[in-house]
Amino acid sequence: MTSIAIPRPAYAERPWILDWLTTVDHKKLGILYLYTTMFFFAVGGILALLVRAQLAVADNTFVNNDAYNQLFTMHASAMLFLFIIPVWAGFGNYIVPLQIGAADMAFPRINALSFWLIPPAGLLMFSGFLFGGASDVGWTAYSPLARSSGVGLDLWIIAVIILGVSSTIGAANFMVTMFRMRAPGMTMFRMPIFCWTMLVTAVLQLLATPVLASGLAMLYIDRNFGGSFFDPNGGGNAILWQNIFWFYSHPAVYIMILPGMGIISEILPVFARKPLFGYKAFVFATMGIGGLGFSVWAHHMFTTGAVLKPWFGFMTFMIGVPTGVKMFNWLGTLWRGSITFEAPMLFALGFLSMFLIGGINGTFSAAVPVDFAIHDTYFVVAHIHYVLFGGAVFAVFAGLYYWFPKIWGRRLDERLARIHFALQFIGFNLAFFPMHLLGLDGMPRRIATYSESAGWETLNLISTIGAFLIGVAMIPFIINVVMAFLRPKDQPNDPWEGNTLEWWTTSPPPVHNFDSLPEVHSERPLWDLRHGNAAH
Amino acid sequence: MAAHAVATQEKQGLSNGMLGFILFLASEVMFFGGLFAAYFIARSDAREWPPVYLLTPEQVAAGVKLEVEFWLPFIATILLITSSVTIQLGVFSIQRGNRSGLIRWTFISIVLGLVFLVMQVYDYSQLHFGIGDTIYGTTFYTLTGFHGLHVLGGVIFMGIILARSLAGQFTAANHEAVEACSFYWHFVDVVWIALFTTLYIIP
Amino acid sequence: MPSTGKLRVIRRVNLLISAALLAIASISPAFAGWGMPEPITDQAKRIQDLWVFTLIIAVAVFFAVEGALLYAIIRYRKKSDALPKQTHGSTALEIVWTTIPVLIVITLFSYSFIVLRDVEKKAPSDALSIEVDGFQFSWQFTYDLARLGQGQAPAQEGTFSIIGTAANEPTFVIPVGEPVEFRLKSNDVIHSFYLPNFHYKLDVVPGRDNRFVITANQTGEFTGQCAELCGINHALMRFHVRVVERAEFDTWVAEQVANKATVRQP
């Protein structure tokens, strides 16, 4: 075995609170990201439970219509802008430099800026509740409705612009880090698959987020300076907002799911003891999804009557192809493997089975006439939750269970993890499967209440029970984490027999990450060390 | 910096900082792309341009006219293009190690940038329409306004470069910030040429 | 020979499956239309056929992939410390499983394209044409006496309107068996005109002239509502349509015209 020695720089000791507030260490920033985003996950989850409580029975008056609109708007805004998108930046921050054998991100201080923009933006967004009501026009903020909503929406616009800046500069940082700071021997096609998905995500963020920022600037001008961008009476265009918004937000859907796919693709090979089946095909499929992601935005707008329906329908169907390739590659990885079922693997398999549904029920919207029926109904709500909860959230937990020993050096309890998984899996399906049926039966999304005569009560009640079960599922998780912090830091470098460089260094890693680096000859350098190159 | 340079492969060509800066400019291109898209959609929606038919009687009575002045912005355009040349001459100077050349050309570029801004503000004051006067006024002031903010940002950037060159921080071998600044200024210039063409020349 | 433990597991699985089937059977009458409500127009029937076709393919794909996943999980559990064979991929397989989805989506696209073309056919010029105005927070349905459809000589000039409020949901009436055009208008924000039994919705966009055509094929009363978030009382923007025979429709129109209050002379 050969390794490359790395000189160790000296560090100054600082009080820990100052250290955390001023750190530019990618690992500490990664941990701050994870704490912050999990906090907003909890907030968004509580809002979701309030939404479900209101919808549990017909003609409910648990919250009024005004409050309801704020609840679901802030639920989605918190979950998308303050949880899912930045949580990947959190995992990426901690893991990407370790996986490519770098000492830090390319721009550590810009990295700190990326993080520190998020908490104030989150507070700003939620401060609307103190000033006469938070944004109440949905996370999509469709104009012209959004031209006349209250001051909560201005706060929301500014918050989303700040979050956009955070994710844009973060994206440039990730790209430079991965282009320029890989360990000797690590060619692009030996880069771990999680890094690849972070890279494609970064490209999408860099190119799509500024377009949203331009749209938000227009909306702000319309609202505050008498602009006419989205006002047909002044020569503006009511559909323009949707075009700009979805030009960002459809790629954003892939921003929200691609890193999750990357995490799954790290976990499956480790616990099936085989390499990822079709590594290069997987990389190309990821790029394909990223590229096609820019050409399907108008499938959110078929019912506006203002878009070229056959083209966007066709492209939307096509994006199912690289997604299918990924699914088959994951199956190929499991096939003839030697599979064990530790917590990360349970959540990874949960991801596969649920994301499959999210992939399939999305194709219905590509069939334009079927979309006429299901658009803006609970069918679409079911679809996005199978993708973003069944997909992204399961991947978040898979990643947390997988990297917890590395990040915190402590062990999570397997039994509690299994209870967490079972409750979350059942609760998730109870909450979201009935929404397919509700949507088909004609229940529109974003309605504060429904009439008893509509006949939607039973399914809604089941869904509400499922949502609360998801809430209950978080209890064993929290207990697990708290108990882990009471245990000593006793985890070895490589508790799972991992493949990638983060398992080469100590758990948790030293400030400078690596005392030495092994030679990299494949995308699984640690596997090569354990089994020799002959095992290929 | 040494700590961060460990474990990286030394590569030829662009530095990390320059690569990051170019990526930042790519995101800026997308931002202006969104604004331009809004402008062209508004034009294709309109029966005629400028859309005078959208003016309400009150607006007409208040003296709103959807017309822009040509010659003043034209002179401003010439000045801005000139400043792009001068900042580049500054880069060429420091590449040869000529620090006083860098100081001189940067100073001239700053002055040109400031004159451009003053002319733009004066031009605003002479126009007979506001940001609320139809989509014409909205797109005009939004596009030129965001560009103006970028000019201001560029002037500040050049000011920092000037201060640093006066402090003797740049040499023939080490002047990356100057090049980044010139990239940014060229970008601002190109956006203006596109803006001038669409807002003032295309009827 | 399976062990008794395994047999017990199999019995339990059988029990679970029967319980699931029973549950599905008990709710199935509510979802007789393959999950969709009854189609009441020719266009809705076409869309439902497309839905069923897509659903069959989707369910087949779902069971195939989920089945393969379950099989792999059960069959390839770790049994020994021996390393499995390290296969890195297969170009042939990649081509196969790229081609199959491509063929499936081209099929689905072609079928949906044909249905799209058919359901978006324009109305004949003599069809009944109704202007639908969405506003915060109800609907107004305006009939033009010169465009009442079905070769009816224009009875007279003018229009009449059904105007609803959030508390008093409007009901409008259309005849069965003939094309009816809806012209959608809004002066405030975007609404969406959605009637589940049409299997269709179209947004009501300020500044846009959106229209669509349906031909109802059965009589009855049906409920629809706004499907695009439009403000505080979005949930209350419901409306009802009564589909009746032509003669009954004519009578209804005559009643409306007789009620001068709702008729506006041009």
Side-chain angles (χ1 to χ4, degrees):
Chain A
M1 191 198 85
T2 54
S3 62
I4 299 148
I6 292 169
R8 187 191 293 230
Y11 309 106
E13 284 294 323
R14 281 175 299 178
W16 74 264
I17 182 82
L18 197 67
D19 190 42
W20 280 96
L21 287 175
T22 60
T23 185
V24 294
D25 178 353
H26 73 99
K27 297 181 290 299
K28 287 198 168 128
L29 287 167
I31 290 170
L32 287 173
Y33 263 108
L34 291 177
Y35 283 144
T36 309
T37 51
M38 290 312 278
F39 168 76
F40 283 113
F41 178 55
V43 173
I46 290 165
L47 294 174
L49 292 183
L50 293 173
V51 165
R52 284 315 318 172
Q54 164 67 10
L55 293 177
V57 292
D59 301 312
N60 201 359
T61 52
F62 172 66
V63 294
N64 64 30
N65 294 354
D66 183 28
Y68 182 83
N69 288 355
Q70 296 175 38
L71 286 178
F72 76 74
T73 299
M74 294 309 289
H75 159 67
S77 303
M79 288 302 198
L80 302 178
F81 294 124
L82 295 166
F83 168 56
I84 284 287
I85 293 176
V87 82
W88 298 138
F91 277 114
N93 247 293
Y94 201 100
I95 299 301
V96 164
L98 289 175
Q99 282 197 330
I100 63 172
D104 205 318
M105 298 281 284
F107 308 112
R109 279 174 294 185
I110 287 180
N111 200 22
L113 176 63
S114 290
F115 168 73
W116 284 108
L117 287 173
I118 292 174
L123 293 179
L124 199 62
M125 191 185 274
F126 275 91
S127 68
F129 282 117
L130 305 176
F131 300 109
S135 173
D136 58 353
V137 291
W139 80 282
T140 51
Y142 273 15
S143 291
L145 177 64
R147 295 179 84 248
S148 55
S149 178
V151 70
L153 184 56
D154 285 321
L155 296 167
W156 184 91
I157 291 171
I158 296 166
V160 175
I161 289 178
I162 294 172
L163 293 168
V165 171
S166 159
S167 90
T168 308
I169 61 179
N173 205 349
F174 276 116
M175 286 166 76
V176 175
T177 304
M178 279 180 268
F179 283 138
R180 309 307 285 264
M181 297 176 66
R182 298 187 309 280
M186 185 179 284
T187 58
M188 286 304 274
F189 278 108
R190 287 178 190 164
M191 203 163 66
I193 207 78
F194 173 66
C195 293
W196 263 112
T197 55
M198 284 302 297
L199 182 61
V200 175
T201 300
V203 175
L204 295 179
Q205 282 177 318
L206 187 85
L207 298 179
T209 316
V211 179
L212 177 68
S214 77
L216 290 167
M218 293 178 213
L219 184 55
Y220 195 86
I221 289 166
D222 261 22
R223 290 170 51 81
N224 295 290
F225 306 120
S228 307
F229 281 110
F230 310 120
D231 174 21
N233 296 324
N237 187 319
I239 301 296
L240 171 65
W241 168 261
Q242 295 184 33
N243 274 309
I244 293 176
F245 181 82
W246 289 114
F247 185 84
Y248 160 77
S249 288
H250 199 80
V253 172
Y254 302 106
I255 291 170
M256 296 172 208
I257 192 69
L258 285 177
M261 294 173 163
I263 290 177
I264 299 311
S265 311
E266 294 290 334
I267 291 172
L268 293 181
V270 171
F271 295 92
R273 289 159 186 84
K274 278 180 66 204
L276 181 68
F277 194 90
Y279 168 93
K280 277 197 181 171
F282 197 94
V283 170
F284 289 130
T286 306
M287 293 179 186
I289 289 177
L292 285 169
F294 277 107
S295 58
V296 297
W297 79 88
H299 70 215
H300 300 269
M301 303 164 56
F302 286 144
T303 65
T304 60
V307 295
L308 192 56
K309 283 170 261 197
W311 160 260
F312 286 106
F314 183 72
M315 296 311 284
T316 306
F317 272 127
M318 287 312 289
I319 211 161
V321 174
T323 316
V325 167
K326 292 189 161 198
M327 189 51 91
F328 293 129
N329 278 319
W330 287 324
L331 281 175
T333 308
L334 294 174
W335 212 256
R336 301 206 172 129
S338 177
I339 304 172
T340 52
F341 300 93
E342 290 86 346
M345 189 62 163
L346 281 183
F347 280 89
L349 295 171
F351 171 100
L352 291 194
S353 57
M354 293 300 100
F355 181 73
L356 172 67
I357 299 178
I360 291 175
N361 64 13
T363 53
F364 290 101
S365 288
V368 181
V370 174
D371 185 69
F372 290 152
I374 62 179
H375 178 73
D376 265 337
T377 70
Y378 263 83
F379 192 94
V380 176
V381 180
H383 166 61
I384 58 162
H385 284 93
Y386 268 88
V387 173
L388 292 180
F389 197 111
V393 177
F394 273 79
V396 167
F397 282 112
L400 282 177
Y401 280 106
Y402 182 56
W403 282 310
F404 195 92
K406 176 56 65 184
I407 297 176
W408 284 281
R410 302 164 204 268
R411 188 171 55 82
L412 285 171
D413 182 66
E414 279 291 325
R415 214 173 35 177
L416 280 169
R418 263 177 255 143
I419 295 170
H420 169 201
F421 174 75
L423 288 174
Q424 185 174 313
F425 191 84
I426 297 166
F428 167 73
N429 280 291
L430 273 183
F432 297 109
F433 196 82
M435 290 185 182
H436 290 108
L437 305 173
L438 285 168
L440 287 169
D441 200 44
M443 179 169 168
R445 61 194 295 197
R446 296 173 166 178
I447 53 171
T449 187
Y450 51 93
S451 151
E452 201 184 341
S453 60
W456 298 329
E457 205 165 32
T458 313
L459 289 169
N460 269 305
L461 188 59
I462 294 172
S463 174
T464 300
I465 292 168
F468 278 86
L469 197 55
I470 296 173
V472 173
M474 296 304 137
I475 295 171
F477 173 70
I478 293 167
I479 294 174
N480 207 348
V481 170
V482 172
M483 280 172 57
F485 281 119
L486 299 176
R487 275 195 285 269
K489 287 190 188 180
D490 62 349
Q491 287 299 289
N493 289 5
D494 187 7
W496 309 117
E497 299 207 330
N499 294 328
T500 39
L501 288 181
E502 76 269 31
W503 305 109
W504 173 253
T505 186
T506 54
S507 303
V511 180
H512 52 283
N513 287 353
F514 295 96
D515 288 323
S516 68
L517 279 173
E519 284 184 37
V520 179
H521 296 288
S522 75
E523 81 273 14
R524 295 191 300 168
L526 265 64
W527 173 281
D528 297 342
L529 283 177
R530 260 198 313 276
H531 302 287
N533 288 345
H536 273 280
Chain B
M1 279 317 279
H4 307 309
V6 188
T8 66
Q9 279 174 296
E10 288 309 322
K11 299 227 170 109
Q12 304 294 316
L14 291 175
S15 71
N16 288 357
M18 209 59 178
L19 180 60
F21 194 76
I22 289 170
L23 292 173
F24 162 73
L25 286 184
S27 75
E28 286 272 41
V29 169
M30 295 305 286
F31 178 81
F32 277 100
L35 296 181
F36 271 99
Y39 173 80
F40 283 109
I41 286 173
R43 279 196 75 146
S44 69
D45 283 347
R47 285 207 304 276
E48 55 178 302
W49 196 262
V52 285
Y53 63 94
L54 288 167
L55 290 175
T56 59
E58 295 83 48
Q59 284 169 320
V60 175
V64 171
K65 283 201 203 77
L66 301 181
E67 289 162 5
V68 287
E69 157 82 3
F70 179 80
W71 286 107
L72 186 72
F74 180 73
I75 296 164
T77 307
I78 303 289
L79 292 181
L80 200 62
I81 292 172
T82 311
S83 74
S84 218
V85 175
T86 56
I87 192 74
Q88 193 59 41
L89 289 172
V91 173
F92 290 151
S93 301
I94 194 65
Q95 277 172 355
R96 291 192 307 270
N98 177 357
R99 205 182 299 151
S100 61
L102 171 65
I103 291 167
R104 187 172 62 243
W105 289 120
T106 307
F107 181 75
I108 294 172
S109 307
I110 291 172
V111 170
L112 288 169
L114 284 173
V115 172
F116 176 88
L117 282 175
V118 169
M119 289 173 84
Q120 191 174 19
V121 171
Y122 177 76
D123 185 42
Y124 278 4
S125 73
Q126 297 302 300
L127 294 172
H128 295 287
F129 62 92
I131 194 166
D133 290 322
T134 80
I135 190 69
Y136 185 85
T138 309
T139 49
F140 178 86
Y141 284 106
T142 303
L143 282 163
T144 55
F146 271 109
H147 177 265
L149 288 177
H150 280 76
V151 174
L152 184 62
V155 167
I156 293 169
F157 197 168
M158 289 191 294
I160 294 168
I161 296 297
L162 182 64
R164 288 184 62 183
S165 40
L166 286 169
Q169 291 187 4
F170 299 119
T171 63
N174 178 9
H175 56 267
E176 201 168 81
V178 183
E179 293 202 353
C181 182
S182 77
F183 278 18
Y184 182 80
W185 196 246
H186 295 326
F187 161 76
V188 169
D189 198 17
V190 167
V191 171
W192 178 255
I193 292 170
L195 271 180
F196 184 72
T197 315
T198 46
L199 295 179
Y200 295 92
I201 296 180
I202 301 176
Chain C
M1 236 343 242
S3 66
T4 49
K6 257 191 187 160
L7 274 175
R8 206 165 50 230
V9 171
I10 291 169
R11 233 179 274 132
R12 264 191 211 156
V13 169
N14 275 338
L15 202 70
L16 269 176
I17 293 173
S18 340
L21 286 177
L22 205 71
I24 292 167
S26 64
I27 57 167
S28 61
F31 303 109
W34 296 77
M36 279 192 164
E38 202 180 5
I40 59 160
T41 65
D42 296 348
Q43 290 82 357
K45 186 76 186 71
R46 295 295 309 277
I47 292 175
Q48 191 184 38
D49 290 345
L50 175 64
W51 153 255
V52 171
F53 181 78
T54 316
L55 182 66
I56 289 169
I57 291 179
V59 169
V61 170
F62 171 76
F63 278 110
V65 178
E66 205 82 68
L69 178 63
L70 274 176
Y71 178 82
I73 290 172
I74 295 165
R75 171 76 178 73
Y76 301 116
R77 292 191 321 276
K78 182 176 179 183
K79 291 167 199 103
S80 71
D81 283 337
L83 271 186
K85 188 162 175 287
Q86 299 295 300
T87 43
H88 285 263
S90 151
T91 312
L93 266 178
E94 297 287 352
I95 292 171
V96 168
W97 65 42
T98 308
T99 313
I100 292 174
V102 167
L103 294 178
I104 292 176
V105 302
I106 287 178
T107 311
L108 285 171
F109 170 74
S110 309
Y111 185 16
S112 65
F113 182 77
I114 294 166
V115 175
L116 178 64
R117 193 195 55 196
D118 291 352
V119 301
E120 295 211 314
K121 285 224 169 87
K122 290 206 163 30
S125 58
D126 62 346
L128 167 61
S129 181
I130 304 171
E131 182 179 310
V132 179
D133 288 84
F135 58 90
Q136 291 167 317
F137 294 94
S138 192
W139 304 88
Q140 170 176 328
F141 300 91
T142 303
Y143 291 72
D144 185 343
L145 295 181
R147 289 202 64 185
L148 288 174
Q150 274 290 306
Q152 297 277 312
Q156 61 187 95
E157 294 282 293
T159 63
F160 67 88
S161 297
I162 314 291
I163 305 170
T165 65
N168 189 11
E169 296 160 13
T171 302
F172 68 102
V173 181
I174 58 170
V176 70
E178 58 179 282
V180 178
E181 181 189 55
F182 295 95
R183 291 171 283 128
L184 310 181
K185 297 266 155 54
S186 167
N187 282 323
D188 44 38
V189 300
I190 301 175
H191 305 275
S192 190
F193 185 67
Y194 175 37
L195 212 149
N197 296 84
F198 285 180
H199 296 176
Y200 193 83
K201 68 177 67 67
L202 189 60
D203 292 352
V204 188
V205 184
R208 269 193 76 79
D209 176 22
N210 271 350
R211 33 183 94 188
F212 71 100
V213 185
I214 53 100
T215 308
N217 56 25
Q218 60 173 286
T219 57
E221 182 166 334
F222 308 92
T223 302
Q225 71 185 100
C226 178
E228 185 65 73
L229 177 68
C230 58
I232 185 166
N233 284 337
H234 164 57
L236 307 180
M237 261 182 86
R238 301 177 189 128
F239 60 87
H240 308 275
V241 58
R242 223 151 38 84
V243 186
V244 299
E245 297 294 341
R246 182 77 209 185
E248 197 181 339
F249 175 75
D250 290 339
T251 316
W252 178 79
V253 169
E255 279 168 17
Q256 298 299 316
V257 173
N259 179 3
K260 293 286 185 196
T262 56
V263 179
R264 279 185 236 144
Q265 294 300 329

